[in-house]
Amino acid sequence: AVDESELLTVPDGWKEPAFTREDNPRGLLEESSFATLFPKYREAYLKECWPLVQKALGEHYVNAALDLIEGSMTVTTTKKTFDPYAIIRARDLIKLLARSVPFEQAVRILQDDVACDIIKIGSLVRKKETFIKRRARLLGPKGSTLKALELLTNCYIMVQGNTVSALGPFSGLKEVRKVVLDTMKNIHPIYNIKTLMIKRELAKDPELRTQSWERFLPKFKQKNLKKRKEPKKKNIKKEYTPFPPPQPESQIDKELASGEYFLKERQKKRKQMEEIKAKQADAVKRRQEERNKAFIPPKEKPAVKTKKASTEKKIDIEAIKEKVKNAKKKKLGALPEEEVKLKIAADEKKKKKK
């Protein structure tokens, strides 16, 4: 845990004071110069905007010369130049102009809080097709990925040929370089963009200033691709031997080895006929077996044994016998004995009353 009072805090909106003539009244001792070449297709644009370049550099007392014959731009200091770092900024300006960065953006390099970074990506990928695909991935569909990266890093990014030119604050340039190099290493820029978005939100919270942000940042593991499917037929290379293969036996050699060569014509024909008859007999036998297969009966399924009736409930045989006896005594449609007796008794009572 770090005490917040020990940390260096910079007030909001503070800027370093500009370097003036009072800081270096005697100027520079010697003249310094830088030159850079530019491609032929940039000649027309540089010719148009060169007066603006000279005017911008003239404010810092730096001379600029354009040589269209050699195809080069040169910047030199003068006796009036008091800022020693002005020539370095002028050098970066002509480098950016040579890399197809428009003058409106390139002139920002002369400001104190703006820097530039030219990232060489041409030698990071071997195959040209792969390089073109990954460079297009950095741009994204209709330049959307590049635009998102510019908004998150506050940098101007220009992808041109084998280089990526970035212009902006130092913190943003560091992130741009990381994203560009990761893209060339086959890591999609969307992962880095997602991380930058989370960092941007975390920076707004003052409580998280002294804490580690590792727990908030996403961790993207590189998945191992499945192994290539091996072909069914493999061409196995035979072992190299300096000796040639043995010469194949001719028909005469085979006949000499079996002894047929010394047989007479009649014996040869008889042997051939015997071989033909043996083949015919085998074919007839096979054909007969195929025909007999139709007459072989199919195997019957084993009969399923019926389960015996459960004898859990015991039958009362005596009760059934009594029921049968009572049923025999009864006539069809007759009343039971008790009812008959009651009826007879009732009739007798009626007679006595009369």
Side-chain angles (χ1 to χ4, degrees):
V2 182
D3 189 11
E4 287 190 9
S5 61
E6 293 179 10
L7 295 169
L8 180 67
T9 55
V10 180
D12 294 335
W14 181 86
K15 282 187 179 181
E16 193 177 347
F19 193 86
T20 59
R21 185 174 285 279
E22 293 173 4
D23 297 319
N24 186 17
R26 295 182 182 180
L28 305 176
L29 293 172
E30 291 186 11
E31 186 184 281
S32 301
S33 64
F34 288 101
T36 185
L37 299 172
F38 60 86
K40 186 74 175 173
Y41 63 85
R42 290 291 288 169
E43 187 178 318
Y45 179 78
L46 291 172
K47 210 172 179 180
E48 286 179 15
C49 71
W50 197 248
L52 298 170
V53 175
Q54 286 179 326
K55 186 183 177 184
L57 292 174
E59 292 175 5
H60 296 270
Y61 304 102
V62 177
N63 285 338
L66 178 68
D67 192 346
L68 296 173
I69 296 165
E70 288 185 3
S72 66
M73 293 179 281
T74 311
V75 286
T76 54
T77 57
T78 60
K79 289 180 182 180
K80 290 183 180 180
T81 308
F82 60 88
D83 187 359
Y85 200 71
I87 188 67
I88 304 296
R89 288 184 184 143
R91 178 202 65 183
D92 291 340
L93 174 63
I94 58 173
K95 271 188 180 180
L96 291 168
L97 289 170
R99 295 311 313 150
S100 299
V101 177
F103 171 76
E104 291 79 12
Q105 292 290 341
V107 79
R108 287 170 55 211
I109 196 65
L110 300 174
Q111 298 171 16
D112 288 338
D113 56 345
V114 178
C116 75
D117 190 9
I118 295 169
I119 307 156
K120 293 179 181 178
I121 57 172
S123 59
L124 297 175
V125 185
R126 288 183 182 179
K127 290 184 180 179
K128 192 177 180 182
E129 292 175 4
T130 312
F131 169 72
I132 291 163
K133 281 181 184 177
R134 289 181 188 175
R135 188 179 63 182
R137 192 183 293 169
L138 185 64
L139 292 166
K142 297 181 182 178
S144 58
T145 307
L146 196 69
K147 189 69 181 173
L149 198 60
E150 284 181 349
L151 291 168
L152 289 166
T153 57
N154 297 322
C155 293
Y156 172 81
I157 305 164
M158 181 74 185
V159 182
Q160 175 70 20
N162 293 333
T163 58
V164 177
S165 306
L167 187 77
F170 289 99
S171 58
L173 292 175
K174 189 180 175 183
E175 296 293 344
V176 170
R177 178 171 275 273
K178 185 181 179 296
V179 173
V180 170
L181 294 177
D182 282 353
T183 306
M184 289 294 130
K185 289 175 186 173
N186 202 21
I187 298 167
H188 204 281
I190 196 69
Y191 299 134
N192 285 311
I193 286 168
K194 194 173 182 180
T195 307
L196 287 171
M197 287 170 74
I198 294 165
K199 280 183 180 178
R200 194 178 188 182
E201 292 299 317
L202 291 170
K204 293 175 183 177
D205 193 350
E207 292 179 4
L208 297 170
R209 188 163 172 248
T210 56
Q211 297 178 15
S212 176
W213 291 354
E214 286 294 323
R215 58 200 171 106
F216 300 110
L217 300 177
K219 293 175 183 177
F220 301 103
K221 290 182 181 179
Q222 197 168 5
K223 292 179 182 177
N224 294 326
L225 297 171
K226 290 181 181 179
K227 291 182 180 178
R228 185 176 65 86
K229 289 183 180 178
E230 294 182 358
K232 289 182 179 179
K233 293 181 181 179
K234 290 185 179 179
N235 296 326
I236 302 165
K237 288 185 178 180
K238 294 177 181 177
E239 292 182 5
Y240 172 73
T241 52
F243 307 103
Q247 194 172 357
E249 289 185 349
S250 65
Q251 190 66 27
I252 295 167
D253 291 336
K254 288 176 183 177
E255 287 178 0
L256 284 168
S258 62
E260 280 184 53
Y261 186 78
F262 303 104
L263 295 173
K264 292 178 182 178
E265 286 293 322
R266 197 188 303 162
Q267 290 173 327
K268 285 182 181 179
K269 284 182 180 178
R270 193 189 302 159
K271 193 176 181 182
Q272 285 176 358
M273 288 299 294
E274 285 174 359
E275 287 176 357
I276 290 164
K277 282 179 181 179
K279 284 181 181 177
Q280 285 175 349
D282 287 340
V284 169
K285 192 179 178 181
R286 266 188 267 108
R287 211 178 298 123
Q288 195 65 36
E289 285 175 357
E290 288 291 326
R291 285 174 184 169
N292 291 339
K293 278 182 184 177
F295 300 101
I296 296 167
K299 288 183 180 179
E300 292 182 0
K301 291 180 180 179
V304 181
K305 291 181 180 179
T306 55
K307 292 181 181 179
K308 290 181 180 180
S310 61
T311 57
E312 289 177 3
K313 294 179 181 179
K314 292 181 180 180
I315 301 164
D316 194 359
I317 297 165
E318 294 297 328
I320 293 165
K321 283 181 179 180
E322 284 181 8
K323 283 181 181 180
V324 171
K325 280 180 184 179
N326 293 332
K328 283 181 180 178
K329 286 177 183 180
K330 283 182 187 180
K331 290 180 181 179
L332 194 66
L335 294 167
E337 287 181 2
E338 292 176 356
E339 288 183 9
V340 171
K341 285 178 181 179
L342 290 168
K343 207 170 186 182
I344 291 164
D347 290 337
E348 286 177 356
K349 280 181 182 179
K350 284 179 183 180
K351 284 178 183 178
K352 283 179 182 179
K353 284 178 181 179
K354 287 178 181 181

